[in-house]
């Protein structure tokens, strides 16, 4: 039975299949008529054969009777046929023979006619057989085509059903999105009202802050003047006491009533950075490959991420292991510690960013939403926002407390790194594979500025503490110091043998912004003077490519990680 198409499916392919089926039915009916004619012809051939056999038997019978009569005539001396005697009997016999001869001739003619008819019928029979064979072959081919058409029809109907189900599902999704859009529009209205109120409050706070900063500046200037006075006095007393002031080691025996002021002044300058000279410690991360390190603001905790699924946490002073934080399903590309030292985040190739509490070592949040490996994750100053970059070419801004994405920025070009230009993360800077650096407004998601500052891919970006300068590191073998506002190049740092690793090569500025530091693929650590652009020192302590290097908050220690397992403490 021919399958009927489903209601609602009125495609041109169905009409073609129906037309093919109708043509097949017509050909089948034609073949049926040919077979019926063939059967009638075969019956006639059988009748002719029977009639021929009867005629041949009758002919043989007449010939036998004729031969008997001839034998009888010879036996009687030819009188019956030749007319010699018995005139009446001879005439009858001769008449009978004539009749028999005529009947024999008629039968012969009839037999000849039958032979001709039989030959004609045999020829027609052969032709009909050939036509039937060809028709059978065509029917078999058409049956195969019809079977293929039925299968195509079945698949098409199944596809139509699937598309109908998908359309129904998408309709439901559209309804949900419309509801969410309405809710978001309402929320936007409420947020705009809040923003208006917050703008007013912010203006007031800015005025108060400027006033406070002016007061603080006056205090700093006063302390600086006192410090210069103390330095001159200490230099007059002894060179040893001058060194004590620089190190913040003061005593009332030398300074009397100025001791308190001297202590405060020494604390203010205690963050002066120094260039490391030697390795004073070594931490074994017990990983096959390291990717990133992060140091807490107080310099007590060091976090390490790499090819392992776990983040390792160490005591930065002793190198003792504190935690091994599991949870990531693939390797860790970047780690960061919040400014208060309470939270740690890991950017993983499993498309997530995971947050742990450092006081308990327990997982706290898993941020999912990227569709590619997450390469970088950075907290803002109060850890209320987290910024992540993924290989899906998006930067996402997360509400840390709720674990929700509040903004997505589309970077268009692939990135290697990102950094925050201010404490809140209102502006961020990204390092791109197209040799450019771009600055973004994280609230609106708009690009604020961009500049192609290198000849090859930009591997990392680092921002000074005040957010006024940006340090970039490129695969072209140069570091560049940029003005954060205009992206103008302020300094170019390079060395003949310096060549960063393509995948992991983060550079950093010292806390006082006097020095820039980056590791090379040959295991050497290079330190430059930012003001002059001169190479200050090359430290050759590592045995494999240096993937990350950073200064302690005090500027007196450096932690550098080589790709193969180890972190060195330099001082």
């Amino acid at each position: 039975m021919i399958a009927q198409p489903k209601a609602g499916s009125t495609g041109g392919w169905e009409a073609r299949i129906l037309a093919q089926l109708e043509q097949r039915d017509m050909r089948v009916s034609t073949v049926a008529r040919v077979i019926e004619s063939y059967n009638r012809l075969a019956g006639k051939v059988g009748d002719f054969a029977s009639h021929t056999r009867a005629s041949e038997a009758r002919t043989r019978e007449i010939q036998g009777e004729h031969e008997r009569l001839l034998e009888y005539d010879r036996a009687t001396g030819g009188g019956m046929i030749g007319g010699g005697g018995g005139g009446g009997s001879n005439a009858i016999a001769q008449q009978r023979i004539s009749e028999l001869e005529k009947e024999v001739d008629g039968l012969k003619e009839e037999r000849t006619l039958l032979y001709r008819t039989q030959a004609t019928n045999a020829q027609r029979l052969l032709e009909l057989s050939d036509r039937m064979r060809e028709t059978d072959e065509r029917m078999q081919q058409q049956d195969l085509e019809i079977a293929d058409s039925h299968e195509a029809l079945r698949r098409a109907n199944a596809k139509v059903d699937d598309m109908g189900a998908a359309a129904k599902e998408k309709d439901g999704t559209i309804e949900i999105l419309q509801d969410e859009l309405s809710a978001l529009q309402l929320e936007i209205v409420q947020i705009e009202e809040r923003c208006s109120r917050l703008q007013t409050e912010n203006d007031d706070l800015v005025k108060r802050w400027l006033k406070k900063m002016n007061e603080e500046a006056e205090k700093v200037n006063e302390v600086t003047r006192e410090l210069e006075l103390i330095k001159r006095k200490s230099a007059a007393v002894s060179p040893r006491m001058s060194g004590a002031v620089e190190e913040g080691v003061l005593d009332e025996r030398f300074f009397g009533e100025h001791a308190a002021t001297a202590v405060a002044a020494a604390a203010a300058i205690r963050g002066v950075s120094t260039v490391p000279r030697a390795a004073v410690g070594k931490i074994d991360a017990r990983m096959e490959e390291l990717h990133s390190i992060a140091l807490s603001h107080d310099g007590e905790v060091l976090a390490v991420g790499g090819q392992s699924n776990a983040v390792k946490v160490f005591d930065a002073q002793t190198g003792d292991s504190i935690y091994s934080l599991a949870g990531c399903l693939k390797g860790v590309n970047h780690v960061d510690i919040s400014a208060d030292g309470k939270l740690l985040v890991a950017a993983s190739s499993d498309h997530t960013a995971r947050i742990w509490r450092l006081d308990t070592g327990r997982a706290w949040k898993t941020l999912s939403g990227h569709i590619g490996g997450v390469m970088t994750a950075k907290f803002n100053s109060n850890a209320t926002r987290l910024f992540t970059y993924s290989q899906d070419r998006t930067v996402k801004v997360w509400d840390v407390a709720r674990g929700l994405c509040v903004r997505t920025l589309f970077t268009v070009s692939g990135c290697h790194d990102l950094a925050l230009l201010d404490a809140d993360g209102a502006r961020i800077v990204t390092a791109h594979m197209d040799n450019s650096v771009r600055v973004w407004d994280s609230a609106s998601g708009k690009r604020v500025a961009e500049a192609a500052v290198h000849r090859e891919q930009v591997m990392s970006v680092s921002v000074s503490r005040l957010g006024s300068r940006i340090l970039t590191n490129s695969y072209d073998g140069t570091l560049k110091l940029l003005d954060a506002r205009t992206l103008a190049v302020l300094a170019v740092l390079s060395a003949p043998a310096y060549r960063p690793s393509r995948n992991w090569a983060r550079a950093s500025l010292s806390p006082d912004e006097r020095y820039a530091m980056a590791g090379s693929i040959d295991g050497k650590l290079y330190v430059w003077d930012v003001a002059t652009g001169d190479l200050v020192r090359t430290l050759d302590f590592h045995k494999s490519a240096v993937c990350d290097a950073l200064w302690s908050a005090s500027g007196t220690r450096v932690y550098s990680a080589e790709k193969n397992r180890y972190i060195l403490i330099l001082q």
Side-chain angles (χ1 to χ4, degrees):
M1 180 179 292
I2 299 173
Q4 296 298 325
K6 295 184 178 181
S9 56
T10 57
W13 55 272
E14 293 181 341
R16 289 196 298 273
I17 291 174
L18 290 175
Q20 291 175 2
L21 294 175
E22 291 175 355
Q23 292 175 5
R24 174 191 178 264
D25 292 341
M26 292 174 63
R27 287 192 293 269
V28 169
S29 62
T30 302
V31 172
R33 288 195 298 272
V34 171
I35 293 173
E36 183 180 357
S37 176
Y38 174 81
N39 290 334
R40 288 198 304 271
L41 182 59
K44 287 182 179 181
V45 170
D47 294 341
F48 285 147
S50 300
H51 189 62
T52 300
R53 287 193 296 271
S55 298
E56 289 177 350
R58 178 63 177 160
T59 301
R60 287 193 297 273
E61 181 181 349
I62 292 172
Q63 286 177 348
E65 184 177 354
H66 182 266
E67 289 175 358
R68 286 194 302 272
L69 288 174
L70 290 177
E71 288 293 334
Y72 179 75
D73 182 61
R74 285 193 294 271
T76 57
M80 181 180 293
I81 300 176
S89 299
N90 291 336
I92 294 170
Q94 190 172 3
Q95 183 179 1
R96 177 62 178 163
I97 289 171
S98 298
E99 292 175 355
L100 290 173
E101 287 177 349
K102 290 179 180 179
E103 187 174 356
V104 167
D105 292 338
L107 289 172
K108 286 182 178 179
E109 291 178 359
E110 185 176 357
R111 184 180 64 180
T112 301
L113 180 60
L114 288 174
Y115 282 153
R116 289 177 181 171
T117 303
Q118 186 176 9
T120 301
N121 290 337
Q123 183 63 32
R124 290 180 62 191
L125 185 61
L126 289 174
E127 293 176 356
L128 288 173
S129 297
D130 292 338
R131 288 177 60 189
M132 285 186 64
R133 185 176 67 256
E134 294 174 358
T135 302
D136 288 340
E137 291 175 355
R138 286 199 301 272
M139 288 181 65
Q140 290 176 358
Q141 182 64 29
Q142 290 167 359
D143 288 339
L144 292 175
E145 293 177 357
I146 289 172
D148 293 340
S149 298
H150 283 315
E151 179 62 22
L153 178 61
R154 185 190 63 77
R155 290 196 299 267
N157 287 333
K159 188 174 181 180
V160 168
D161 292 340
D162 293 342
M163 292 177 68
K168 184 181 293 185
E169 182 179 352
K170 289 181 179 179
D171 289 339
T173 303
I174 289 172
E175 291 179 1
I176 294 172
L177 291 175
Q178 288 175 343
D179 294 339
E180 291 181 356
L181 179 60
S182 300
L184 288 173
Q185 288 175 341
L186 179 60
E187 187 176 353
I188 287 172
V189 172
Q190 296 173 350
I191 289 174
E192 287 176 348
E193 294 176 354
R194 289 180 55 197
C195 285
S196 179
R197 294 194 303 269
L198 290 173
Q199 183 64 41
T200 303
E201 295 177 2
N202 184 65
D203 293 340
D204 182 55
L205 288 173
V206 168
K207 293 178 181 178
R208 292 166 56 190
W209 179 76
L210 290 173
K211 182 179 178 181
K212 182 69 174 177
M213 290 300 295
N214 290 330
E215 294 175 354
E216 292 293 332
E218 289 297 328
K219 291 180 180 179
V220 170
N221 291 334
E222 183 180 352
V223 170
T224 303
R225 287 192 295 270
E226 291 291 336
L227 178 62
E228 292 298 328
L229 178 62
I230 292 169
K231 282 184 178 180
R232 288 195 295 270
K233 289 183 178 181
S234 64
V237 174
S238 69
R240 178 173 175 274
M241 287 307 304
S242 179
V245 172
E246 290 292 335
E247 295 297 327
V249 182
L250 304 173
D251 196 315
E252 293 183 359
R253 291 178 299 170
F254 297 100
F255 298 102
E257 60 181 358
H258 299 288
T261 304
V263 170
I269 66 169
R270 191 171 50 193
V272 174
S273 301
T274 58
V275 178
R277 294 178 176 274
V280 297
K282 185 176 184 180
I283 300 174
D284 185 354
R286 295 180 177 84
M287 292 185 191
E288 293 183 2
E289 183 176 308
L290 302 187
H291 296 161
S292 173
I293 59 175
L295 185 67
S296 63
H297 187 71
D298 59 8
E300 297 297 326
V301 175
L302 180 72
V304 183
Q307 194 172 13
S308 171
N309 297 353
V311 178
K312 303 294 182 65
V313 181
F314 298 92
D315 185 310
Q317 302 300 320
T318 65
D320 296 335
S321 176
I322 301 174
Y323 297 124
S324 179
L325 306 177
C328 296
L329 303 180
K330 292 184 178 180
V332 175
N333 300 316
H334 187 262
V335 290
D336 190 35
I337 298 175
S338 62
D340 59 9
K342 294 180 179 180
L343 300 178
L344 182 149
V345 63
S348 173
S349 295
D350 65 3
H351 305 180
T352 66
R354 299 174 189 271
I355 302 175
W356 289 267
R357 289 188 178 276
L358 285 178
D359 54 351
T360 63
R362 294 184 178 180
W364 185 49
K365 300 281 186 183
T366 298
L367 308 180
S368 301
H370 285 292
I371 57 174
V374 182
M375 304 306 295
T376 307
K378 297 283 183 70
F379 287 110
N380 67 353
S381 61
N382 58 7
T384 57
R385 290 286 187 269
L386 179 72
F387 299 80
T388 61
Y389 171 74
S390 167
Q391 290 174 329
D392 61 12
R393 297 190 176 185
T394 64
V395 173
K396 289 186 179 292
V397 185
W398 304 85
D399 184 313
V400 175
R402 295 187 298 166
L404 300 177
C405 176
V406 296
R407 174 69 64 183
T408 298
L409 287 69
F410 297 93
T411 61
V412 182
S413 170
C415 294
H416 279 298
D417 197 12
L418 69 82
L420 279 59
L421 287 173
D422 51 55
D424 296 331
R427 291 195 310 153
I428 62 174
V429 58
T430 50
H432 289 262
M433 297 181 184
D434 61 1
N435 314 340
S436 299
V437 171
R438 293 179 174 89
V439 178
W440 307 82
D441 185 319
S442 64
S444 65
K446 294 181 180 179
R447 183 172 54 201
V448 177
E450 71 173 302
V453 295
H454 286 281
R455 290 179 286 106
E456 294 192 41
Q457 299 180 23
V458 186
M459 310 305 298
S460 74
V461 285
S462 176
V463 177
S464 64
R465 286 193 173 184
L466 297 178
S468 60
R469 295 194 289 181
I470 302 170
L471 178 67
T472 65
N473 187 16
S474 170
Y475 196 66
D476 62 12
T478 64
L479 283 73
K480 293 189 178 182
L481 193 66
L482 310 178
D483 183 288
R485 186 175 58 86
T486 64
L487 297 185
V489 178
L490 304 177
V492 179
L493 312 176
S494 64
Y498 174 68
R499 188 69 173 174
S501 173
R502 180 171 289 274
N503 293 326
W504 319 103
R506 292 187 174 91
S508 63
L509 281 168
S510 63
D512 61 0
E513 303 180 23
R514 291 177 58 192
Y515 303 107
M517 175 176 59
S520 176
I521 196 170
D522 60 3
K524 294 179 181 179
L525 194 64
Y526 292 81
V527 183
W528 289 269
D529 187 305
V530 172
T532 63
D534 296 334
L535 180 65
V536 177
R537 189 161 297 147
T538 302
L539 304 172
D540 190 5
F541 297 119
H542 289 284
K543 297 182 179 179
S544 62
V546 179
C547 62
D548 204 351
L550 47 85
W551 304 78
S552 64
S554 64
T556 58
R557 270 194 174 188
V558 167
Y559 294 83
S560 61
E562 63 181 57
K563 187 176 180 181
N564 295 341
R565 189 168 180 166
Y566 295 103
I567 302 103
L568 295 183
I569 304 172
L570 308 175
Q571 191 168 320

